PDB file of all heavy atoms in Angstrom:
ATOM      1  N   ASP X 375     108.748  84.470 114.039  1.00  0.00           N
ATOM      2  CA  ASP X 375     109.939  84.915 114.766  1.00  0.00           C
ATOM      3  C   ASP X 375     111.185  84.161 114.327  1.00  0.00           C
ATOM      4  O   ASP X 375     112.272  84.746 114.192  1.00  0.00           O
ATOM      5  CB  ASP X 375     109.733  84.706 116.265  1.00  0.00           C
ATOM      6  CG  ASP X 375     108.591  85.513 116.824  1.00  0.00           C
ATOM      7  OD1 ASP X 375     107.429  85.122 116.595  1.00  0.00           O
ATOM      8  OD2 ASP X 375     108.839  86.535 117.485  1.00  0.00           O
ATOM      9  N   SER X 376     111.055  82.858 114.125  1.00  0.00           N
ATOM     10  CA  SER X 376     112.234  82.070 113.752  1.00  0.00           C
ATOM     11  C   SER X 376     112.778  82.504 112.404  1.00  0.00           C
ATOM     12  O   SER X 376     114.001  82.595 112.218  1.00  0.00           O
ATOM     13  CB  SER X 376     111.891  80.571 113.733  1.00  0.00           C
ATOM     14  OG  SER X 376     110.799  80.310 112.857  1.00  0.00           O
ATOM     15  N   GLU X 377     111.881  82.809 111.448  1.00  0.00           N
ATOM     16  CA  GLU X 377     112.330  83.297 110.153  1.00  0.00           C
ATOM     17  C   GLU X 377     112.929  84.694 110.285  1.00  0.00           C
ATOM     18  O   GLU X 377     113.924  85.025 109.621  1.00  0.00           O
ATOM     19  CB  GLU X 377     111.166  83.311 109.161  1.00  0.00           C
ATOM     20  CG  GLU X 377     111.485  83.918 107.802  1.00  0.00           C
ATOM     21  CD  GLU X 377     112.610  83.206 107.068  1.00  0.00           C
ATOM     22  OE1 GLU X 377     112.835  82.004 107.342  1.00  0.00           O
ATOM     23  OE2 GLU X 377     113.271  83.857 106.245  1.00  0.00           O
ATOM     24  N   ALA X 378     112.371  85.527 111.147  1.00  0.00           N
ATOM     25  CA  ALA X 378     112.924  86.873 111.368  1.00  0.00           C
ATOM     26  C   ALA X 378     114.331  86.785 111.934  1.00  0.00           C
ATOM     27  O   ALA X 378     115.217  87.570 111.558  1.00  0.00           O
ATOM     28  CB  ALA X 378     112.015  87.662 112.307  1.00  0.00           C
ATOM     29  N   ARG X 379     114.548  85.840 112.854  1.00  0.00           N
ATOM     30  CA  ARG X 379     115.907  85.672 113.412  1.00  0.00           C
ATOM     31  C   ARG X 379     116.882  85.225 112.332  1.00  0.00           C
ATOM     32  O   ARG X 379     118.037  85.688 112.281  1.00  0.00           O
ATOM     33  CB  ARG X 379     115.868  84.659 114.560  1.00  0.00           C
ATOM     34  CG  ARG X 379     115.329  85.219 115.861  1.00  0.00           C
ATOM     35  CD  ARG X 379     115.460  84.237 117.003  1.00  0.00           C
ATOM     36  NE  ARG X 379     114.479  83.156 116.913  1.00  0.00           N
ATOM     37  CZ  ARG X 379     113.273  83.193 117.452  1.00  0.00           C
ATOM     38  NH1 ARG X 379     112.885  84.255 118.129  1.00  0.00           N
ATOM     39  NH2 ARG X 379     112.450  82.170 117.346  1.00  0.00           N
ATOM     40  N   ARG X 380     116.431  84.344 111.444  1.00  0.00           N
ATOM     41  CA  ARG X 380     117.314  83.889 110.358  1.00  0.00           C
ATOM     42  C   ARG X 380     117.663  85.046 109.429  1.00  0.00           C
ATOM     43  O   ARG X 380     118.809  85.177 108.991  1.00  0.00           O
ATOM     44  CB  ARG X 380     116.651  82.756 109.577  1.00  0.00           C
ATOM     45  CG  ARG X 380     116.737  81.398 110.246  1.00  0.00           C
ATOM     46  CD  ARG X 380     116.333  80.285 109.313  1.00  0.00           C
ATOM     47  NE  ARG X 380     114.912  80.300 109.003  1.00  0.00           N
ATOM     48  CZ  ARG X 380     113.973  79.669 109.712  1.00  0.00           C
ATOM     49  NH1 ARG X 380     114.321  78.962 110.776  1.00  0.00           N
ATOM     50  NH2 ARG X 380     112.705  79.741 109.366  1.00  0.00           N
ATOM     51  N   GLN X 381     116.673  85.871 109.102  1.00  0.00           N
ATOM     52  CA  GLN X 381     116.934  86.995 108.196  1.00  0.00           C
ATOM     53  C   GLN X 381     117.920  87.988 108.791  1.00  0.00           C
ATOM     54  O   GLN X 381     118.709  88.597 108.074  1.00  0.00           O
ATOM     55  CB  GLN X 381     115.622  87.707 107.869  1.00  0.00           C
ATOM     56  CG  GLN X 381     114.745  86.977 106.890  1.00  0.00           C
ATOM     57  CD  GLN X 381     113.968  87.917 105.996  1.00  0.00           C
ATOM     58  OE1 GLN X 381     114.308  89.096 105.837  1.00  0.00           O
ATOM     59  NE2 GLN X 381     112.928  87.390 105.378  1.00  0.00           N
ATOM     60  N   LEU X 382     117.874  88.153 110.093  1.00  0.00           N
ATOM     61  CA  LEU X 382     118.727  89.135 110.755  1.00  0.00           C
ATOM     62  C   LEU X 382     120.204  88.900 110.469  1.00  0.00           C
ATOM     63  O   LEU X 382     120.986  89.853 110.366  1.00  0.00           O
ATOM     64  CB  LEU X 382     118.464  89.090 112.265  1.00  0.00           C
ATOM     65  CG  LEU X 382     118.831  90.302 113.107  1.00  0.00           C
ATOM     66  CD1 LEU X 382     118.099  91.546 112.633  1.00  0.00           C
ATOM     67  CD2 LEU X 382     118.508  90.028 114.567  1.00  0.00           C
ATOM     68  N   VAL X 383     120.599  87.650 110.315  1.00  0.00           N
ATOM     69  CA  VAL X 383     122.013  87.317 110.095  1.00  0.00           C
ATOM     70  C   VAL X 383     122.247  86.646 108.746  1.00  0.00           C
ATOM     71  O   VAL X 383     123.339  86.139 108.473  1.00  0.00           O
ATOM     72  CB  VAL X 383     122.542  86.412 111.222  1.00  0.00           C
ATOM     73  CG1 VAL X 383     122.553  87.156 112.549  1.00  0.00           C
ATOM     74  CG2 VAL X 383     121.727  85.124 111.344  1.00  0.00           C
ATOM     75  N   SER X 384     121.231  86.641 107.887  1.00  0.00           N
ATOM     76  CA  SER X 384     121.350  85.978 106.590  1.00  0.00           C
ATOM     77  C   SER X 384     122.238  86.766 105.643  1.00  0.00           C
ATOM     78  O   SER X 384     122.302  88.002 105.703  1.00  0.00           O
ATOM     79  CB  SER X 384     119.963  85.798 105.969  1.00  0.00           C
ATOM     80  OG  SER X 384     120.067  85.314 104.651  1.00  0.00           O
ATOM     81  N   THR X 385     122.918  86.058 104.752  1.00  0.00           N
ATOM     82  CA  THR X 385     123.738  86.710 103.729  1.00  0.00           C
ATOM     83  C   THR X 385     122.972  86.856 102.416  1.00  0.00           C
ATOM     84  O   THR X 385     123.516  87.357 101.434  1.00  0.00           O
ATOM     85  CB  THR X 385     125.008  85.888 103.478  1.00  0.00           C
ATOM     86  OG1 THR X 385     124.648  84.558 103.068  1.00  0.00           O
ATOM     87  CG2 THR X 385     125.868  85.815 104.729  1.00  0.00           C
ATOM     88  N   VAL X 386     121.722  86.430 102.392  1.00  0.00           N
ATOM     89  CA  VAL X 386     120.912  86.516 101.178  1.00  0.00           C
ATOM     90  C   VAL X 386     120.509  87.965 100.937  1.00  0.00           C
ATOM     91  O   VAL X 386     120.107  88.674 101.869  1.00  0.00           O
ATOM     92  CB  VAL X 386     119.655  85.626 101.309  1.00  0.00           C
ATOM     93  CG1 VAL X 386     118.746  85.795 100.080  1.00  0.00           C
ATOM     94  CG2 VAL X 386     120.053  84.167 101.481  1.00  0.00           C
ATOM     95  N   ASP X 387     120.602  88.411  99.696  1.00  0.00           N
ATOM     96  CA  ASP X 387     120.216  89.776  99.357  1.00  0.00           C
ATOM     97  C   ASP X 387     118.758  90.016  99.727  1.00  0.00           C
ATOM     98  O   ASP X 387     117.893  89.172  99.487  1.00  0.00           O
ATOM     99  CB  ASP X 387     120.404  90.027  97.857  1.00  0.00           C
ATOM    100  CG  ASP X 387     121.871  90.132  97.463  1.00  0.00           C
ATOM    101  OD1 ASP X 387     122.695  90.324  98.372  1.00  0.00           O
ATOM    102  OD2 ASP X 387     122.173  90.013  96.259  1.00  0.00           O
ATOM    103  N   GLY X 388     118.492  91.192 100.271  1.00  0.00           N
ATOM    104  CA  GLY X 388     117.130  91.537 100.645  1.00  0.00           C
ATOM    105  C   GLY X 388     116.762  91.177 102.066  1.00  0.00           C
ATOM    106  O   GLY X 388     115.680  91.535 102.534  1.00  0.00           O
ATOM    107  N   SER X 389     117.651  90.486 102.765  1.00  0.00           N
ATOM    108  CA  SER X 389     117.372  90.159 104.164  1.00  0.00           C
ATOM    109  C   SER X 389     117.425  91.421 105.008  1.00  0.00           C
ATOM    110  O   SER X 389     118.132  92.375 104.686  1.00  0.00           O
ATOM    111  CB  SER X 389     118.388  89.140 104.687  1.00  0.00           C
ATOM    112  OG  SER X 389     118.266  87.921 103.988  1.00  0.00           O
ATOM    113  N   SER X 390     116.657  91.426 106.076  1.00  0.00           N
ATOM    114  CA  SER X 390     116.585  92.611 106.933  1.00  0.00           C
ATOM    115  C   SER X 390     117.606  92.540 108.057  1.00  0.00           C
ATOM    116  O   SER X 390     117.850  91.467 108.621  1.00  0.00           O
ATOM    117  CB  SER X 390     115.181  92.735 107.524  1.00  0.00           C
ATOM    118  OG  SER X 390     115.110  93.824 108.414  1.00  0.00           O
ATOM    119  N   ARG X 391     118.164  93.679 108.393  1.00  0.00           N
ATOM    120  CA  ARG X 391     119.076  93.775 109.535  1.00  0.00           C
ATOM    121  C   ARG X 391     118.348  94.320 110.767  1.00  0.00           C
ATOM    122  O   ARG X 391     118.969  94.656 111.765  1.00  0.00           O
ATOM    123  CB  ARG X 391     120.261  94.697 109.180  1.00  0.00           C
ATOM    124  CG  ARG X 391     121.082  94.190 108.000  1.00  0.00           C
ATOM    125  CD  ARG X 391     121.810  92.900 108.352  1.00  0.00           C
ATOM    126  NE  ARG X 391     122.418  92.282 107.183  1.00  0.00           N
ATOM    127  CZ  ARG X 391     122.030  91.140 106.627  1.00  0.00           C
ATOM    128  NH1 ARG X 391     121.022  90.477 107.168  1.00  0.00           N
ATOM    129  NH2 ARG X 391     122.624  90.647 105.581  1.00  0.00           N
ATOM    130  N   PHE X 392     117.041  94.384 110.653  1.00  0.00           N
ATOM    131  CA  PHE X 392     116.205  94.939 111.715  1.00  0.00           C
ATOM    132  C   PHE X 392     114.994  94.019 111.869  1.00  0.00           C
ATOM    133  O   PHE X 392     114.264  93.772 110.908  1.00  0.00           O
ATOM    134  CB  PHE X 392     115.773  96.351 111.309  1.00  0.00           C
ATOM    135  CG  PHE X 392     114.865  97.051 112.284  1.00  0.00           C
ATOM    136  CD1 PHE X 392     114.979  96.864 113.648  1.00  0.00           C
ATOM    137  CD2 PHE X 392     113.892  97.923 111.820  1.00  0.00           C
ATOM    138  CE1 PHE X 392     114.145  97.534 114.531  1.00  0.00           C
ATOM    139  CE2 PHE X 392     113.051  98.604 112.689  1.00  0.00           C
ATOM    140  CZ  PHE X 392     113.182  98.399 114.057  1.00  0.00           C
ATOM    141  N   ALA X 393     114.801  93.486 113.072  1.00  0.00           N
ATOM    142  CA  ALA X 393     113.716  92.536 113.296  1.00  0.00           C
ATOM    143  C   ALA X 393     113.045  92.787 114.641  1.00  0.00           C
ATOM    144  O   ALA X 393     113.694  93.241 115.596  1.00  0.00           O
ATOM    145  CB  ALA X 393     114.240  91.104 113.229  1.00  0.00           C
ATOM    146  N   LEU X 394     111.765  92.481 114.712  1.00  0.00           N
ATOM    147  CA  LEU X 394     110.999  92.560 115.958  1.00  0.00           C
ATOM    148  C   LEU X 394     110.617  91.128 116.347  1.00  0.00           C
ATOM    149  O   LEU X 394     109.823  90.489 115.661  1.00  0.00           O
ATOM    150  CB  LEU X 394     109.747  93.426 115.772  1.00  0.00           C
ATOM    151  CG  LEU X 394     109.989  94.847 115.258  1.00  0.00           C
ATOM    152  CD1 LEU X 394     108.672  95.609 115.175  1.00  0.00           C
ATOM    153  CD2 LEU X 394     110.969  95.592 116.139  1.00  0.00           C
ATOM    154  N   ILE X 395     111.188  90.653 117.439  1.00  0.00           N
ATOM    155  CA  ILE X 395     111.078  89.239 117.812  1.00  0.00           C
ATOM    156  C   ILE X 395     110.875  89.116 119.319  1.00  0.00           C
ATOM    157  O   ILE X 395     111.194  90.032 120.082  1.00  0.00           O
ATOM    158  CB  ILE X 395     112.347  88.470 117.388  1.00  0.00           C
ATOM    159  CG1 ILE X 395     113.605  89.200 117.853  1.00  0.00           C
ATOM    160  CG2 ILE X 395     112.380  88.245 115.884  1.00  0.00           C
ATOM    161  CD1 ILE X 395     114.920  88.569 117.446  1.00  0.00           C
ATOM    162  N   SER X 396     110.353  87.968 119.740  1.00  0.00           N
ATOM    163  CA  SER X 396     110.082  87.760 121.165  1.00  0.00           C
ATOM    164  C   SER X 396     111.205  87.040 121.890  1.00  0.00           C
ATOM    165  O   SER X 396     111.283  87.090 123.117  1.00  0.00           O
ATOM    166  CB  SER X 396     108.772  86.980 121.336  1.00  0.00           C
ATOM    167  OG  SER X 396     107.680  87.741 120.878  1.00  0.00           O
ATOM    168  N   LYS X 397     112.051  86.336 121.132  1.00  0.00           N
ATOM    169  CA  LYS X 397     113.197  85.647 121.728  1.00  0.00           C
ATOM    170  C   LYS X 397     114.464  86.069 121.009  1.00  0.00           C
ATOM    171  O   LYS X 397     114.440  86.339 119.801  1.00  0.00           O
ATOM    172  CB  LYS X 397     113.039  84.126 121.605  1.00  0.00           C
ATOM    173  CG  LYS X 397     111.901  83.523 122.395  1.00  0.00           C
ATOM    174  CD  LYS X 397     111.884  82.009 122.174  1.00  0.00           C
ATOM    175  CE  LYS X 397     110.733  81.334 122.887  1.00  0.00           C
ATOM    176  NZ  LYS X 397     110.711  79.865 122.631  1.00  0.00           N
ATOM    177  N   PRO X 398     115.600  86.116 121.707  1.00  0.00           N
ATOM    178  CA  PRO X 398     116.858  86.486 121.050  1.00  0.00           C
ATOM    179  C   PRO X 398     117.407  85.338 120.215  1.00  0.00           C
ATOM    180  O   PRO X 398     116.943  84.199 120.318  1.00  0.00           O
ATOM    181  CB  PRO X 398     117.771  86.798 122.234  1.00  0.00           C
ATOM    182  CG  PRO X 398     117.274  85.894 123.321  1.00  0.00           C
ATOM    183  CD  PRO X 398     115.783  85.849 123.156  1.00  0.00           C
ATOM    184  N   LEU X 399     118.373  85.649 119.399  1.00  0.00           N
ATOM    185  CA  LEU X 399     119.077  84.600 118.666  1.00  0.00           C
ATOM    186  C   LEU X 399     119.852  83.727 119.650  1.00  0.00           C
ATOM    187  O   LEU X 399     120.305  84.208 120.695  1.00  0.00           O
ATOM    188  CB  LEU X 399     120.048  85.199 117.644  1.00  0.00           C
ATOM    189  CG  LEU X 399     119.464  85.654 116.304  1.00  0.00           C
ATOM    190  CD1 LEU X 399     118.574  86.885 116.465  1.00  0.00           C
ATOM    191  CD2 LEU X 399     120.587  85.938 115.292  1.00  0.00           C
TER     192      LEU X 399
END
Side-chain angles (χ1 to χ4, degrees):
D375 298 76
S376 56
E377 175 59 25
R379 282 187 285 270
R380 281 192 291 271
Q381 284 214 19
L382 201 59
V383 294
S384 173
T385 58
V386 176
D387 288 343
S389 296
S390 177
R391 299 293 171 249
F392 178 34
L394 304 182
I395 49 182
S396 295
K397 294 180 182 179
L399 279 69

